[in-house]
Amino acid sequence: MFYLQREEYDAVVVGSGVSGGWAAKELTEKGLRTLVLERGRNVEHQKDYITEHVPPWDMPYRNRRITPEMYPEQAVQIRGNTVDSGNRHFYQNDKRHPYIEAAPFTWVQAEVVGGRSLLWGRQCYRWSDLDFEANLRDGHGIDWPIRYADIAPWYSYVERFIGVSGERLGLPQLPDGEFQPPMELNAGEKFVKEGVERAFPGRKVTIGRSAVLTRPIGNRAACHYCGECSRGCSTGSYFSSQSSTLPAAFATGRLTLRPHSLVHSLIFDEDLNRVTGVRFVDTETGDMHEVYAQVIFLCASALGSTRVLLNTRTSEHPDGLGGNSGALGRYLMDHHFRVGASGEIPGLLDRYYEGRRPNGIYIPRFRNLAGPDSDRLDFVRGYGYQGSASRAGWSRGAGMAELGAELKQALRDPGPWRISIGSWGECLPREDNTALLSDKTDQWGIPLLEINCTWGPNEFAMRRDMAQQAAEMLEAAGCRNVTTFDNFEDGSYGAEPGLCIHEMGTARMGRDPSNSVLNGYNQVWASPNVFVTDGACMTSSSCVNPSITYMALTARAADYAVNALKRGELVKA
């Protein structure tokens, strides 16, 4: 059924996650009546965190990570290690939202208001000019249209609002920010830090920079370390759309939020030569709706936003809006990970750590800092490590030979300290890594994405170095029984693209409309009143977690959009 309902707003935002929430906040605070369309159901802050603080013995299957109900409804979601029976209600039903894998690609998605802002890892690292100039210097991909100086003030703006705890290091490859006091390393992590920094001058081991409060902001409390972040956070101690940006947008009185609204495509007026609105499906009724606005922000996740652009086909844009560049749906990236090393930390048996600190350690990039091949390795770009140290608990008893009282006696004290560090590595932007429309459609008639993304020679060479360097650092620090790991299996699942949940690219920014979809302010070249500010806009992938960069780009683009609208630049024929 096609149902026309003429609705008009100043702005429409597609998606309500980290980028969509920021777009809603900025546009409403700057005076625009804004509609947010979200395909998932509503989740209200506090009220709808139904498993928060529920102990395992009060949950079905004692909160097992995977339960029978998750097959086959969440067969894709369970490939990663983020979903469990305590938070599965935030993740999508894979049967409702299928996609096609030409090669193994795991697409982890939320299906609720707030999106993955309820589920993210909260690690926040600024990009540097080492990242923004990487494509230009080594020739992979096109040059970014911006540099660090363009976005630095917006990083600060975002950090002050969301709250990022961390340590200032003074490293040019990892710029410092507006930090709250850092969380503390435990005894095992301090042991490794001292050893690594002694053996490898220039390398640093620090606590993660995390969007988790160590000091209150407004009505958001400092974290109390309950450790159940992915079930929702009633105290608002970690940043989510629910705790932070959407309340700010609602406070203006200019926000309308519409859940259960899956965007089909953009409405392109060929006489005006620009987009005038959004076409979406009410997923509860199946009815099609149209809504009109002067400004559109696509924040539906990298692949979600690109799917909308690809499905916006006109006589002048037969391959989708932005498709004439040849870049739309191409240059898909993710961070490659699940490779590193672990080992045993000797001694410290009089030291113990109890608690659920929602953070780990971070070792910033140290490879190829002076240029593409400055370390004379067989790969370009670089990587960092994340990890943590702890003492083994009672579960180690499952592998022990003792029984009865002897077993109980053996488990009276915690086990030895262990540490594991895994690497997050930069992926090159390659034209043949694609997400394009297939001939098959979903239950609402929208073409499915067919995703074909693989690692290349540069990624595999980097993985070998990631494992080797992880082992060398742990051994140099004094760890014992150090072993490496790499979960990648060719043609299978384990460390495939998508699994890191940092999908980027497919509607990249650039300096030239002939090879990019967006300009330096995230505007679609083919319709400047459309902005794409989620992971789709990324021209390269850096090696650090990207979410804070999406937030900063969104705030910057919203500021530009409102000023351009006031100047009459976005509605010209």
Side-chain angles (χ1 to χ4, degrees):
M1 176 179 180
F2 192 87
Y3 178 70
L4 283 178
Q5 177 180 321
R6 182 80 183 189
E7 291 183 77
E8 293 187 5
Y9 292 84
D10 297 324
V12 171
V13 177
V14 181
S16 61
V18 294
S19 301
W22 265 98
K25 170 186 176 300
E26 295 301 300
L27 294 172
T28 55
E29 288 183 342
K30 295 178 188 301
L32 301 193
R33 288 189 316 109
T34 301
L35 171 68
V36 172
L37 297 173
E38 165 57 53
R39 68 171 186 158
R41 64 180 173 83
N42 196 18
V43 169
E44 292 187 30
H45 185 48
Q46 300 174 334
K47 181 176 82 70
D48 290 331
Y49 302 152
I50 57 176
T51 57
E52 185 185 23
H53 298 153
V54 176
W57 52 86
D58 284 339
M59 299 183 69
Y61 305 103
R62 304 293 188 264
N63 194 32
R64 282 178 56 187
R65 198 180 78 76
I66 299 174
T67 65
E69 291 79 6
M70 297 162 82
Y71 296 98
E73 293 184 348
Q74 292 176 308
V76 173
Q77 308 306 303
I78 62 177
R79 292 179 195 164
N81 58 4
T82 57
V83 65
D84 59 37
S85 56
N87 63 21
R88 63 175 297 240
H89 49 283
F90 292 152
Y91 287 83
Q92 79 162 11
N93 183 322
D94 294 321
K95 293 179 69 176
R96 281 162 51 92
H97 301 287
Y99 64 100
I100 298 169
E101 297 176 71
F105 184 93
T106 294
W107 189 5
V108 176
Q109 303 175 73
E111 194 178 356
V112 290
V113 167
R116 293 188 298 202
S117 78
L118 286 169
L119 302 162
W120 67 312
R122 305 168 299 281
Q123 294 292 295
C124 290
Y125 303 98
R126 294 187 179 200
W127 286 32
S128 69
D129 273 337
L130 184 68
D131 304 306
F132 287 113
E133 295 177 357
N135 286 3
L136 178 65
R137 298 179 73 180
D138 64 27
H140 294 280
I142 59 171
D143 188 21
W144 277 85
I146 62 173
R147 291 293 184 264
Y148 178 67
D150 296 307
I151 195 173
W154 296 101
Y155 276 131
S156 296
Y157 178 71
V158 168
E159 287 162 348
R160 287 193 293 269
F161 182 80
I162 70 174
V164 177
S165 59
E167 180 186 18
R168 300 176 68 86
L169 297 173
L171 300 176
Q173 73 271 30
L174 194 74
D176 295 327
E178 313 275 339
F179 298 145
Q180 293 199 336
M183 298 177 190
E184 186 177 2
L185 302 181
N186 63 39
E189 292 160 352
K190 290 176 181 175
F191 174 91
V192 172
K193 171 183 172 66
E194 181 180 347
V196 168
E197 294 183 355
R198 181 181 61 245
F200 299 92
R203 297 187 189 184
K204 298 290 184 182
V205 178
T206 186
I207 189 70
R209 296 173 176 176
S210 178
V212 179
L213 302 184
T214 54
R215 294 287 186 274
I217 294 179
N219 61 0
R220 297 173 56 205
C223 180
H224 56 283
Y225 289 18
C226 73
E228 297 179 346
C229 306
S230 68
R231 299 184 188 181
C233 181
S234 290
T235 57
S237 301
Y238 76 76
F239 167 82
S240 68
S241 297
Q242 269 83 354
S243 70
S244 305
T245 45
L246 291 180
F250 275 120
T252 67
R254 302 187 188 95
L255 176 65
T256 301
L257 174 64
R258 195 184 198 288
H260 302 292
S261 302
L262 174 64
V263 171
H264 174 284
S265 56
L266 304 179
I267 302 167
F268 190 88
D269 187 316
E270 302 211 24
D271 292 331
L272 297 176
N273 196 34
R274 65 175 174 86
V275 169
T276 56
V278 177
R279 188 177 294 111
F280 66 95
V281 179
D282 184 316
T283 57
E284 291 190 305
T285 65
D287 291 340
M288 188 76 80
H289 295 257
E290 292 183 351
V291 62
Y292 294 84
Q294 299 177 81
V295 178
I296 315 292
F297 267 68
L298 288 182
C299 305
S301 83
L303 298 178
S305 291
T306 291
R307 186 186 184 195
V308 172
L309 291 173
L310 286 166
N311 204 34
T312 304
R313 290 172 283 193
T314 70
S315 58
E316 289 191 21
H317 306 283
D319 298 319
L321 192 68
N324 293 345
S325 67
L328 183 63
R330 301 185 181 278
Y331 305 99
L332 175 60
M333 299 167 284
D334 186 26
H335 287 145
H336 56 109
F337 80 138
R338 286 193 170 179
V339 53
S342 60
E344 183 178 322
I345 299 171
L348 305 177
L349 298 182
D350 60 340
R351 305 294 301 277
Y352 188 66
Y353 171 75
E354 175 65 29
R356 298 178 178 178
R357 184 193 64 194
N359 201 357
I361 63 169
Y362 189 68
I363 301 176
R365 173 179 168 178
F366 52 82
R367 285 303 200 199
N368 294 325
L369 296 181
D373 59 352
S374 59
D375 287 350
R376 299 189 177 184
L377 302 166
D378 54 353
F379 61 88
V380 297
R381 315 288 171 107
Y383 55 83
Y385 292 97
Q386 299 179 36
S388 63
S390 62
R391 293 189 71 173
W394 288 2
S395 60
R396 75 186 192 282
M400 297 173 69
E402 293 85 351
L403 294 172
E406 189 179 6
L407 177 62
K408 293 178 182 178
Q409 182 62 35
L411 294 176
R412 284 177 64 89
D413 295 321
W417 282 91
R418 293 194 58 81
I419 187 164
S420 178
I421 56 173
S423 190
W424 271 244
E426 182 165 1
C427 163
L428 293 180
R430 286 173 27 219
E431 185 178 11
D432 57 346
N433 279 339
T434 61
L436 301 170
L437 297 184
S438 79
D439 295 332
K440 298 180 180 178
T441 61
D442 63 16
Q443 63 180 292
W444 299 284
I446 304 174
L448 302 183
L449 280 183
E450 179 169 334
I451 301 172
N452 187 3
C453 186
T454 60
W455 303 135
N458 199 73
E459 283 79 39
F460 289 121
M462 188 184 290
R463 293 184 78 85
R464 289 190 290 273
D465 195 57
M466 289 168 161
Q468 180 180 345
Q469 289 301 307
E472 288 186 9
M473 285 191 289
L474 295 185
E475 288 171 347
C479 297
R480 301 169 179 165
N481 302 318
V482 174
T483 58
T484 62
F485 60 89
D486 184 344
N487 292 2
F488 178 79
E489 295 184 37
D490 191 22
S492 186
Y493 300 102
E496 70 279 8
L499 196 64
C500 196
I501 324 179
H502 290 170
E503 61 269 19
M504 289 174 269
T506 63
R508 66 186 182 186
M509 297 169 70
R511 300 176 183 273
D512 186 337
S514 70
N515 58 22
S516 61
V517 179
L518 311 173
N519 69 12
Y521 284 99
N522 297 79
Q523 294 172 279
V524 176
W525 289 107
S527 184
N529 64 329
V530 178
F531 294 76
V532 182
T533 63
D534 54 28
C537 75
M538 305 301 269
T539 310
S540 65
S541 66
S542 178
C543 67
V544 299
N545 303 53
S547 294
I548 195 170
T549 298
Y550 305 161
M551 296 187 226
L553 287 172
T554 301
R556 177 175 178 266
D559 182 70
Y560 180 86
V562 172
N563 288 326
L565 192 62
K566 290 176 180 175
R567 294 192 297 267
E569 296 174 1
L570 301 185
V571 293
K572 290 179 179 178

